[in-house]
């Protein structure tokens, strides 16, 4: 048996559009002997299929995929310490599963890979879980991270806007923290907003650039003054959730007379209007950090 350590690749896959996969990601995929996938139930089987489609497109030889079921997470706890405790419990059980996969399915000296939606550094638990496993001392392995296009970058690109304006900061936050306050002198990127926190910010001069399933065939885009489009976004979210069984969306909030950045990119229309005339409520293209379940 080889004494060489195991090696893990954490590969950012982009927001959901297969064309977002970087050359570095493709090269990394071709180094892997086995790919580890944590399934998220039947509702999100499409994400697992998309992973396999990407592997089929870019790998020339046979490859091995080992799947396990992602553990249940208590999403009813939303306040303070109880929320953090629920996330830590879920991560610990997730680490138990990943540890078993590495020990049982990856031989010493071989290379395994986790395919991560978006970018592994932004609202994803994989890196923290690998550090947890390494800290246990039960299995020795090294790992490296290959960055990917995040849903935040994909959202800005689809709306043809910059994330920052001259001399202004950008604040990235999960939606549940909006109610706790935020800096008033910055633009806001909001992720993981399962409770439509944007609906509580109407009447304050915000402009929103919103997108769901960004980069996938089910992509939905809306932009405009928040007071005017908040109801429409809520309706589209409900319809999409009913249709797919889940939703993952991201949005940019900024103040201004028309939401334009310093280049004047925003023109008061949905970003997709010029392409399909549907008011931005079509074009499908991005799982957009769909595994992002632990802010």
């Amino acid at each position: 048996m080889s004494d060489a350590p195991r090696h893990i690749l954490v590969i950012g896959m982009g927001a959901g559009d297969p064309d977002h996969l970087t050359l570095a990601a493709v090269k990394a995929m071709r180094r892997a002997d086995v790919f580890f996938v944590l399934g998220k139930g039947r509702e999100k089987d499409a994400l697992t299929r998309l992973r396999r489609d990407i592997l089929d497109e870019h790998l020339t030889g046979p490859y091995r995929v080992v799947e396990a079921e992602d553990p249940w997470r208590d999403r009813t706890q939303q306040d303070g310490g109880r929320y953090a405790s629920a996330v830590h419990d879920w991560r610990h059980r997730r680490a138990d599963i990943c540890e078993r996969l590495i020990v049982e399915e990856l031989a010493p000296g071989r290379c395994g890979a986790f395919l991560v939606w978006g970018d592994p550094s932004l609202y994803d638990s994989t890196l923290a879980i690998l550090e947890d496993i390494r800290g246990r001392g039960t299995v020795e392995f090294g790992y490296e991270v290959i960055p990917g296009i995040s849903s935040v970058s994909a959202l800005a690109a689809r709306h043809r806007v910059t994330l920052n304006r001259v001399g202004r900061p950008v604040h990235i936050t999960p939606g549940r923290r909006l109610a706790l306050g935020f800096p008033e002198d910055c633009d806001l990127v909001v992720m993981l907003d399962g409770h439509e926190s944007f609906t509580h910010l109407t009447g304050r001069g915000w402009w929103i650039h919103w997108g769901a399933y960004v980069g996938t065939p089910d992509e939905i885009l809306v932009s405009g003054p928040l007071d005017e489009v908040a109801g429409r976004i809520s309706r589209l979210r409900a319809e999409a959730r009913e249709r797919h069984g889940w939703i993952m969306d991201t949005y940019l909030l900024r103040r201004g007379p028309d939401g334009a950045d310093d280049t004047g990119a925003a023109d008061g229309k949905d970003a997709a209007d010029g392409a399909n005339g549907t008011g931005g409520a079509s074009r499908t293209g991005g799982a957009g950090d769909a595994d992002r379940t632990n802010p």
Side-chain angles (χ1 to χ4, degrees), residues 7 9 26-35 59 110-112 144 146:
H7 193 70
L9 301 169
V26 172
K27 291 177 181 178
M29 287 164 49
R30 291 173 178 171
R31 292 167 52 195
D33 300 300
V34 59
F35 296 89
L59 300 185
R110 310 300 286 182
C111 182
E144 60 187 284
I146 293 84

Side-chain angles (χ1 to χ4, degrees), residues 3-250:
D3 292 329
R6 298 166 172 87
H7 193 70
I8 302 292
L9 301 169
V10 183
I11 304 173
M13 299 175 63
D17 187 337
D19 288 342
H20 287 172
L21 205 66
T22 67
L23 291 176
V26 172
K27 291 177 181 178
M29 287 164 49
R30 291 173 178 171
R31 292 167 52 195
D33 300 300
V34 59
F35 296 89
F36 302 121
V37 174
L38 296 185
K40 291 183 173 292
R42 295 182 60 184
E43 289 181 344
K44 295 186 179 180
D45 278 348
L47 299 180
T48 300
R49 290 196 299 272
L50 183 53
R51 281 187 173 101
R52 288 185 176 271
D53 289 344
I54 289 174
L55 291 174
D56 288 340
E57 181 175 351
H58 294 286
L59 300 185
T60 56
Y63 61 87
R64 187 162 69 98
V65 174
V66 177
E67 295 188 36
E69 192 67 21
D70 203 13
W72 174 84
R73 173 185 159 191
D74 183 2
R75 298 181 183 277
T76 64
Q77 305 297 335
Q78 293 294 320
D79 297 328
R82 287 180 296 178
Y83 174 85
S85 177
V87 170
H88 289 313
D89 173 71
W90 171 74
R91 282 190 176 186
H92 184 79
R93 288 181 287 114
R94 218 177 191 220
D96 291 341
I97 294 172
C98 292
E99 179 183 33
R100 176 180 58 80
L101 293 177
I102 293 170
V103 170
E104 297 179 0
E105 303 292 346
L106 184 63
R110 310 300 286 182
C111 182
F114 289 91
L115 302 178
V116 175
W117 292 116
D119 183 90
S121 69
L122 184 63
Y123 288 116
D124 185 82
S125 64
T126 306
L127 301 185
I129 286 171
L130 291 179
E131 284 297 326
D132 181 344
I133 298 170
R134 278 161 56 99
R136 300 176 182 186
T138 54
V139 57
E140 182 181 356
F141 62 89
Y143 71 92
E144 60 187 284
V145 181
I146 293 84
I149 295 175
S150 71
S151 65
V152 176
S153 295
L155 176 79
R158 291 294 294 136
H159 280 289
R160 305 191 302 269
V161 297
T162 58
L163 289 175
N164 68 293
R165 291 183 284 180
V166 173
R168 293 178 62 88
V170 178
H171 183 71
I172 302 178
T173 180
R176 69 181 187 85
R177 295 192 63 88
L178 282 182
L180 302 178
F182 46 84
E184 290 291 334
D185 65 339
C186 68
D187 297 332
L188 300 173
V189 174
V190 183
M191 306 178 70
L192 306 166
D193 186 8
H195 300 283
E196 300 185 0
S197 301
F198 58 85
T199 59
H200 302 294
L201 298 177
T202 56
R204 297 167 62 178
W206 290 103
W207 185 285
I208 189 170
H209 299 285
W210 175 85
Y213 314 107
V214 177
T216 73
D218 301 307
E219 180 180 280
I220 312 170
L221 300 171
V222 175
S223 67
L226 182 61
D227 292 5
E228 298 178 13
V229 300
R232 180 184 175 203
I233 292 173
S234 294
R235 184 179 70 255
L236 289 171
R237 289 186 89 260
E239 293 170 352
R241 184 183 291 278
E242 177 67 23
R243 186 163 56 248
H244 300 290
W246 61 279
I247 189 169
M248 187 59 66
D249 55 349
T250 306

